[in-house]
Structure formats: C-alpha cells, structure tokens
Amino acid sequence: MSARRDTTGSYVAGLAGLAVTIFVVLAVAAPNFLSQANLTSMGSQFPEFGLLALAVLPTMISGGIDLSVVAISNLAAVVAALLLRAGPELALLAIPAALLTGLACGLLNGLLIAVLRLPPILATLGTLQLFGGLAIVITRGPAITGLPAWYASYGNASIGGVLPVPLLVFGLVALALGLLLRLTATGVRMRLFGANARAAQFAGLRERGLILRIYGGAGVIAALAGLVILARANSANADYGGSYLLLVILINILAGVSPAGGFGTTLGVVFAVLTLQLISSGLNFLAFDAFTRDLFFGGLLIVVMSVRVLVENGLVPVPRLRKVSLP
Amino acid sequence: MAEPLLTMSGISKAYGPVRVLENVDLSLSAGEVRCLAGENGSGKSTLIKILSGVVAADGGTVTIAGRRLGNDARAAIDAGLSVIYQDFSLFPNLTVAENIAFLRFVAQGRRWNNIAEQRRLAGDVLARMSVDIDPRVLVETLPVASKQLIAIARALANDARIIVMDEPTTALTRNEVTRLAGIVAALKDDGVAFLFVSHKTEEVFSFCDTITVLRDGHVVAAGAVGDFDADRLGREMTGRSIAHERIARADAPPQPVFLETRGLTRRGDYADISLELRPGEIVSILGLLGSGRTELAQTLFGMVAADSGEIRIGGEPVAFAHSSEAVEAGIGYVPEDRLTEGLFLDQPIGDNITVASLEQSASGGLLDRRSLAERARRAVERLRIRTPGIEPPVATLSGGNQQRVVLARWMERSPALMILNGPTVGVDIGSKREIHELLVGLNRSGTALLVVTDDIGEALALSDRILVMVNGRITAAFDPRTADEDTLYAAVTTGGDR
C-alpha cells in the first residue's frame, strides 16, 4: 500500500504563485486593472462564493460534502429579507435569525448523516431540494425587494474607503476556520475522521458530535454568504446563484482539498478563490466574451489536477519545499 | 522424482538500491507440497509475484513444464499456475458455480454466460475434490473454510497444476485443517503440486513434503520436511535464536478486579462469557478466527452491543453506547487490522499518536502544538519507533513500528485496561518478541492487558492466564507456566465444527 504523500504545503505555495502571476500579468497588460475602482469591485464580488467555498471546506476535509450550501444561503437571505421588511422592530432580528436558519439547516444535514448514516452527498442533495423548495414556497417565486436602504448601504460600505465589508467578513471567517482546523482538537479530529472514519471510531472519537458541528458550522457560514448576497443584490431570491454550487466545489478541488477526505487547508481555498476571481476579471479586462469564463475555469481545473497527479507520482520533478518543523 | 514441474533458478530482484531477492532457486515436482517459509520482508511475496508474472525479475528464469515464462501473468495462468491469496479474491455476490467457472470462461474468451455449463463444471470439480457444497448458493453466505475450498476449485476448474496458497490455514479449525489436508493429499495423487507460503510451524509440518526457507532475499535452507524441526525452522527464518518462552516477570500483587463480565451473550457471536481482569494482569483469549473473540473484544470497547449479561467496572455495572465511553472509562483498544482500523495511514505519525489524547495538550480550547509534538516525540523514543521524525505519514513505517504507534496512542492515556486484538499480526518474529517485552513492561505499571489472539506462542509468552474460546464460549482456562503448545492447540481446535 503506497501512501498518498501530503503535498498540500508545496501545492498551496504553487497556487499562491499562480494567483500572483495572473495578478502581475493583468496589472501589466491592462492599465486600468490596478485602479481602486476595479480592485474594490473585485473585492466585493468574490466574498459571496468565497464564503460558500469555506462552508464546504470542513465537510470535505471530514470526508463528506455539503451540496446544500447555496440553498441554505438563499433560505437565510429570504428569512432576513422578510424580517427587514417587516418593520424596524423586527429588522434588528434579521441577522441573528438568518444565522439561526443556517445553523438549523446545517444541523438537519448533520443529523441525517450522523444518526441515519445517509451518505453526505445524498443527504445534502435531498436537503438542497428541501431548503430551496422552502424558500420558493415562502417567496412564491419572485425576489423579495423593498428592503430598508440602510442594510445595503452598510453591507456594501468600504471601511476606510478601501476594505469592502463583504471582504472583511470573508477574511474573518477564513481566519477563524483556519485557526479551528489547525489549532483546535475539533479541527484535528475532523481531518483524522475524514482520513479514516473506521480508525476514528477505534480511537474513541465521538463522530456524531463531530459531524453535527461540521455541518452546523457549514450552515452558519452559508447563512453569512446569504447575508452578503442580500446586501449586494438588495433583494432575496429563492434561486439565486444557481451556478455557484459547481463553482464552489471546483474551488475546493482547486484548493487541493482531497475529495476522499483528510487533506485541505483554508489558505488553499483563499488562493483558489483569488485565482478564479482574477481570471474572471482578467477575461473581462482583456475583452473576452463572458461565455468563455466557464471554458477557462474548466480548463484550469483539469490542468491543475493533472499536474498535481503527475507531481505526486514523481513524473514531473519539482523542488520540494522543506516543511518547517516545529521547535 | 521426475523432471520438476516448476523450476525457478537464479531469481534476483532489486527495488532501487534494495536487493529483495538474490539468486533464489526453487523447484516443485508434480505431486509435491512445498512450503515457502520466511518472515515478513524476507522476499516471499516478491518471489510469488515473479512466479505469477505480475512482477518482472531482474535476473533468472521461471520454467513451468519445460516452457520458459517471461513477465506475463496470462502465460503463467495458461501454463497451469494458480495463486490463491489470503483473501481468496472471490466474488461474494456471485454463486459458487459462477465463481468456480469464472477464470476458465474468461481464459477461454467466452462472451456469453452459460449458467447450465457453469453448474456442470462446478459440480464436476467439487465432486473431484469430494466436497459437498451447493453450486447455486452465494459465496458470501459460506464460512471461511468453504470459501477456501471454492478458491481451490476455481483453480482446478482452470486446469491448474501448480497451486500457490498464501497462509492457507489461518482461519481454519482443526477439523477443517484435517479436511484440507485430505483434499490436498488426494489432489497430490492426481499430480497437482502445491506451494504453501507460510510462517506457521504447525501447518508447515502437517502439510508439506519439502521446505524452502527465505531470509533477506536468500534461500538459507531447503530440504525435506524431516530435516527440520520447529526450532531449526525458526532459527533459519530469523537468523538467530528467538526466545519464545514465557517472558519472565515478577508476580503482580493481588489487586481488586478492574473489569468483570457476567454471562455476557451476543447471539451468533459469543455466549455466557464470565471473566475478571485485574490491574497488572495479562489475560489471553485464545481462539480461532470466527470464534467470537473479536466481537467479545469489541463489546468490551463499546463498539458492539451484547444481548444479555453485564459488564462491571470497579464493581459498577456499565453499558457503553460508544467507544468514546469505554475510552473515558480507561479502556484502550488495539484493533486487529492495523491498516484499516488502527491507523490514519496518510496522516502524520504525530497525529496518529496523539489522536486519543488531544485534550491533554489543549488549554482554553486551543491546542498547544509544541506540547503535542513533544509528547509524540517522547513516545517515539520510548517505544523505539524507527522513524526520522513525527511528520511523515505513518504508512511509511514497517508493520512492527506501525503497531508501536497504535500502542503509543493508548499509552498516552495510561489506560487501566488495554485490549489488544492480534497485537503482532503481520509483524516479523524479531519485532514480535520486542513488542511482547514492551507489553509486559507496560503491564508492570498497573495496566490490565486483554490479549485476543490465535497465536499459541504469543499467548504462552505473554500471559498470566490463558482462556480458550471455541465457538463463542470460553471452554477452558490454562496457566501458561504449565501448559504446552500441543495441549493448547488441541483445546483451541476441538469442538470447532459448525
């Protein structure tokens, strides 16, 4: 039996290099790219799908997946929109209610997986329909509009004129998740459970509590994405972001997260999100048709995965970054 | 004897700088049963892979019935070679007849599935072996011994003249071994030759005509079975005299019972188990695969529920709903299958060691990574795990060192009871003795050890008491200071019919 070598460290470094390269190329090729207007606009575009990708990350590290994140974020946005519209007294409850909705949805996923032992991909495929259907029934189809103006103005504000609020939210969530994965017992257990669920049981890990926490957390992060989207779109739509689900999975794969579980880093997801956003903006700047975006994303994913397999099998020589061992 | 059916001569093989086989000769005549003996890592499996054409040799030749074979698995099968691996490689979801006919029909390049002909072929082969198994039943419903017979039948159906069997008696009761020996003897008379890959002395001596011993890739001894006895065989395999007598120890001072069971029963697995374990004591449960030993061990660890009876810890009844509760109660468990149950193979050695004791290095919800690394490094040193560091994946270690990692995991918790299911399965003889000594040493610090095993030598070397488990019941208890291997072997393998 051969071990999968953990190439995550050097892989993430490579991904960062790719993001920087694209950034430099665009900065040189397109004069307006470095303008503050463009940077700010980019900074408020990617956090919504970036957050969704972060929501999926812990589920994939633990050997599962959450297909329902987009549906959860829409349902949370709908709940928040209804409360915002209901009047100033209830508007304050909008954010906590949205987060609670996300938590409840995530816990339902967790229960289906931990207690009924449904495979995560099937459980969350079911709840994807369930949550999406619930949002449609609530809204009866059309988007909920007419939100109080303050919500969008806060949600789209830039702190100090440079740091868009959505970017701040994304940064804070990434930081918190990164700390959780690296520096808490839960994070280590998540990774080991994902690497071998059977061995985790023999090591006395409480998998039920772990799964509930993972999917509950994913629900909360998805709800945050819903709140960010609500501010940007200034409306709540039951079927917003239909193409986000595949994009979000793509980001995680590009980030070097193992679909089999056990490997994946927050930093990887951050760089994967940046890379895709840069490519997407770059295509606009270089006057490519908007329809070519998917072509590039798909091509990039295939190339990156192929290169990774070739490197892991030693078919392409790569200088190995020395892992810095702890003192 | 006539011209050998199989000749391997001058076989050499290296993986990079590591020389795995060096000028190995082996021959097999029609009707001969030869044992290929050697420790893990001696090159046995590489030799079999070269023989079966899966791996190419760097030098030397393989000749079957005068025809020289290259590195071609298909040609080896066509020449009448059949390898039966330990897991038999059967299709559990297909019938006996389909399994038996499969290889032959594939070899003949058939495109259509002829059920009637499959049944006929299976019936003929089973009749030739004088085995009575219904060809229509699904293989997954059969006991292990029958599966093995199906694997032999499949080889015969494909006109095998040389059958290689890997560790053939691991899961068999005495009656089943006798039956297998009868079938092997009958097939020998038909001119079928067998090569048994084994390191179990009992089966070597009860089956084989000749022995070839491999050590470090060299043939160190070969000859008729009469030239060997158990001591010589062990010495040739390891290159030194390995002590296998009971490890000396001071008697544990009498202490109150830590864990006891009363009439513990789980239908179909074990019945009416009553036992007592005291701190500082090593108790072995000696039983064959399928005797209910694993289910009993897992029940004590909270992974399998009993139907009736009770478990008491320190006199208080407990009912574990989950392994984590057993861990809380001070129990550790070293599972049978290290690779799938014991280890997180691709994950760092350090995490594999500290996984069950993370909370010891946490404060305020955050892990102290330095303390984790420190503890892992100390454990590596204490258990003499041979590794350059705690960062590499645990899969890079050898079997014996991997097992130490699992032991280290529980020693971090200083458990009151450690259950070890097959603690040295797949560990070579030299490393095995070291692990035994380690366990006896660990035990002096007041941990109770429950060792579940089918290895009589292991039970004798380790235990303070030996309980024999047959067919789900504890049938006898022995004092290892006075019991001998033959008595234990008889106790473990009798009454095992089902």
Side-chain angles (χ1 to χ4, degrees):
Chain A
M1 187 172 290
S2 72
R4 276 186 292 157
R5 206 169 42 171
D6 183 7
T7 51
T8 313
S10 45
Y11 178 78
V12 170
L15 200 56
L18 182 64
V20 171
T21 311
I22 298 174
F23 186 84
V24 170
V25 168
L26 287 174
V28 173
N32 286 332
F33 183 75
L34 285 178
S35 71
Q36 201 197 329
N38 179 53
L39 292 182
T40 310
S41 123
M42 270 168 50
S44 43
Q45 274 168 30
F46 71 78
E48 55 186 63
F49 62 83
L51 282 167
L52 291 170
L54 288 176
V56 173
L57 174 67
T59 66
M60 283 184 75
I61 289 180
S62 66
I65 197 165
D66 189 346
L67 299 180
S68 68
V69 284
V70 178
I72 293 178
S73 95
N74 287 335
L75 184 60
V78 165
V79 167
L82 288 178
L83 286 170
L84 283 170
R85 238 174 35 168
E89 318 76 54
L90 291 172
L92 287 177
L93 292 175
I95 291 176
L99 295 179
L100 276 178
T101 305
L103 180 64
C105 292
L107 288 178
L108 176 63
N109 283 334
L111 283 173
L112 292 175
I113 295 161
V115 180
L116 296 185
R117 301 193 177 279
L118 295 181
I121 193 164
L122 296 183
T124 57
L125 188 62
T127 55
L128 153 75
Q129 299 287 354
L130 179 72
F131 303 148
L134 204 57
I136 292 265
V137 168
I138 294 174
T139 60
R140 305 200 162 273
I144 302 178
T145 51
L147 307 179
W150 62 267
Y151 184 78
S153 69
Y154 276 116
N156 295 322
S158 284
I159 294 170
V162 282
L163 182 62
V165 169
L167 185 57
L168 179 70
V169 174
F170 174 73
L172 288 178
V173 170
L175 191 67
L177 194 60
L179 286 178
L180 175 88
L181 287 175
R182 214 177 141 65
L183 286 183
T184 68
T186 303
V188 173
R189 290 188 183 121
M190 227 179 247
R191 171 162 52 82
L192 293 176
F193 176 78
N196 185 346
R198 181 98 180 122
Q201 210 183 354
F202 275 103
L205 257 58
R206 295 180 186 80
E207 65 269 18
R208 273 192 194 184
L210 196 60
I211 293 172
L212 284 175
R213 264 176 283 171
I214 291 167
Y215 287 86
V220 172
I221 301 176
L224 274 173
L227 290 171
V228 167
I229 291 167
L230 184 62
R232 208 167 82 87
N234 205 13
S235 67
N237 195 333
D239 48 15
Y240 181 86
S243 68
Y244 274 180
L245 180 57
L246 289 177
L247 178 66
V248 158
I249 309 251
L250 183 147
I251 288 171
N252 274 280
I253 301 295
L254 187 62
V257 180
S258 163
F263 295 100
T265 58
T266 318
L267 210 55
V269 170
V270 170
F271 285 126
V273 168
L274 288 178
T275 305
L276 291 187
Q277 177 63 45
L278 285 169
I279 291 177
S280 169
S281 305
L283 291 176
N284 274 338
F285 262 87
L286 302 177
F288 277 96
D289 195 313
F291 300 114
T292 54
R293 203 190 68 155
D294 287 352
L295 181 72
F296 274 85
F297 281 5
L300 179 71
L301 183 67
I302 298 295
V303 168
V304 167
M305 287 193 304
S306 309
V307 168
R308 184 159 204 209
V309 167
L310 292 175
V311 169
E312 275 179 6
N313 293 338
L315 299 175
V316 178
V318 163
R320 251 171 87 63
L321 291 170
R322 272 181 63 84
K323 237 189 178 153
V324 184
S325 61
L326 293 161
Chain B
M1 260 184 228
E3 175 75 2
L5 187 56
L6 161 73
T7 316
M8 298 180 83
S9 69
I11 302 286
S12 299
K13 175 75 189 171
Y15 288 110
V18 186
R19 308 203 61 83
V20 184
L21 291 172
E22 194 96 51
N23 200 17
V24 170
D25 295 331
L26 184 144
S27 75
L28 196 61
S29 305
E32 179 182 347
V33 181
R34 181 178 286 274
C35 171
L36 179 61
E39 293 196 276
N40 289 310
S42 60
K44 282 181 305 187
S45 29
T46 308
L47 190 66
I48 298 306
K49 282 179 190 156
I50 288 172
L51 172 60
S52 57
V54 180
V55 167
D58 297 338
T61 56
V62 180
T63 316
I64 294 182
R67 238 177 69 214
R68 199 167 145 188
L69 298 181
N71 170 32
D72 181 356
R74 193 67 184 264
I77 292 172
D78 289 344
L81 180 83
S82 181
V83 181
I84 299 176
Y85 293 100
Q86 225 175 339
D87 63 0
F88 309 140
S89 312
L90 295 171
F91 301 103
N93 53 336
L94 298 185
T95 64
V96 168
E98 285 167 325
N99 269 285
I100 291 177
F102 184 79
L103 269 188
R104 182 190 175 94
F105 283 16
V106 168
Q108 292 174 344
R110 298 216 188 169
R111 287 169 198 282
W112 299 97
N113 190 14
N114 183 339
I115 295 175
E117 202 183 331
Q118 280 175 347
R119 293 240 170 96
R120 204 158 46 238
L121 176 66
D124 289 349
V125 175
L126 291 173
R128 179 178 163 203
M129 293 167 63
S130 329
V131 169
D132 182 28
I133 296 175
D134 185 345
R136 290 167 304 183
V137 302
L138 293 183
V139 161
E140 64 189 354
T141 62
L142 295 174
V144 177
S146 305
K147 285 183 186 158
Q148 185 175 48
L149 297 178
I150 304 298
I152 297 176
R154 181 183 53 186
L156 293 175
N158 198 30
D159 294 327
R161 285 182 295 162
I162 302 169
I163 299 181
V164 181
M165 294 182 79
D166 194 6
E167 304 279 358
T169 63
T170 307
L172 305 189
T173 65
R174 174 182 263 194
N175 286 328
E176 289 161 348
V177 171
T178 314
R179 187 168 170 219
L180 179 64
I183 290 168
V184 166
L187 293 173
K188 269 170 69 173
D189 293 342
D190 274 2
V192 178
F194 287 86
L195 183 63
F196 281 8
V197 182
S198 177
H199 59 245
K200 284 206 171 164
T201 44
E202 299 106 47
E203 72 190 32
V204 170
F205 291 109
S206 54
F207 278 86
C208 301
D209 306 318
T210 49
I211 298 180
T212 296
V213 184
L214 273 187
R215 186 197 332 142
D216 298 333
H218 296 263
V219 175
V220 289
V225 76
D227 300 343
F228 288 83
D229 57 22
D231 276 347
R232 176 171 177 215
L233 188 62
R235 213 165 46 240
E236 300 286 10
M237 285 201 289
T238 59
R240 54 200 152 121
S241 300
I242 294 287
H244 41 67
E245 70 279 8
R246 185 162 183 270
I247 294 169
R249 70 201 73 177
D251 277 332
Q255 292 191 55
V257 172
F258 171 70
L259 179 145
E260 64 177 313
T261 68
R262 288 276 164 267
L264 208 60
T265 300
R266 179 179 161 86
R267 267 185 300 283
D269 287 327
Y270 54 82
D272 200 20
I273 304 286
S274 298
L275 50 83
E276 291 183 350
L277 301 169
R278 293 167 195 273
E281 185 184 41
I282 306 181
V283 177
S284 287
I285 292 187
L286 189 61
L288 296 170
L289 190 69
S291 61
R293 56 180 194 184
T294 296
E295 291 77 6
L296 174 62
Q298 292 187 355
T299 301
L300 299 182
F301 192 59
M303 293 192 56
V304 166
D307 294 328
S308 61
E310 65 172 1
I311 305 175
R312 289 168 174 268
I313 287 185
E316 297 296 315
V318 291
F320 299 137
H322 189 266
S323 54
S324 60
E325 294 173 18
V327 172
E328 289 298 322
I331 301 178
Y333 186 94
V334 176
E336 197 170 19
D337 188 338
R338 206 165 38 237
L339 300 181
T340 64
E341 298 171 343
L343 294 170
F344 306 92
L345 280 178
D346 300 326
Q347 300 287 332
I349 293 166
D351 287 338
N352 272 281
I353 292 176
T354 52
V355 56
S357 56
L358 289 172
E359 65 286 348
Q360 289 176 22
S361 296
S363 61
L366 289 187
L367 287 176
D368 178 352
R369 292 180 68 87
R370 193 175 301 186
S371 140
L372 282 177
E374 187 51 41
R375 281 202 288 128
R377 221 169 278 133
R378 270 205 310 267
V380 162
E381 237 166 73
R382 196 168 48 237
L383 294 185
R384 296 199 299 276
I385 298 169
R386 277 179 283 276
T387 166
I390 58 167
E391 287 290 337
V394 75
T396 57
L397 299 180
S398 71
N401 284 310
Q402 288 181 345
Q403 193 69 338
R404 287 162 206 243
V405 168
V406 186
L407 289 176
R409 173 187 304 165
W410 294 115
M411 286 166 71
E412 285 301 304
R413 293 190 65 93
S414 328
L417 166 65
M418 190 127 108
I419 302 170
L420 302 118
N421 195 352
T424 57
V425 172
V427 171
D428 59 50
I429 298 184
S431 199
K432 186 168 165 179
R433 184 72 178 180
E434 284 176 35
I435 288 182
H436 287 163
E437 281 163 359
L438 201 81
L439 288 173
V440 171
L442 160 77
N443 175 250
R444 294 301 97 190
S445 56
T447 300
L449 296 188
L450 181 68
V451 178
V452 178
T453 186
D454 56 10
D455 182 336
I456 293 170
E458 173 162 278
L460 282 171
L462 266 180
S463 320
D464 297 314
R465 279 193 289 139
I466 298 176
L467 304 174
V468 170
M469 188 160 181
V470 179
N471 244 349
R473 288 175 185 274
I474 290 183
T475 53
F478 290 93
D479 181 342
R481 275 156 289 218
T482 53
D484 63 75
E485 294 215 8
D486 293 338
T487 325
L488 286 173
Y489 183 66
V492 171
T493 52
T494 38
D497 293 297
R498 259 165 287 181

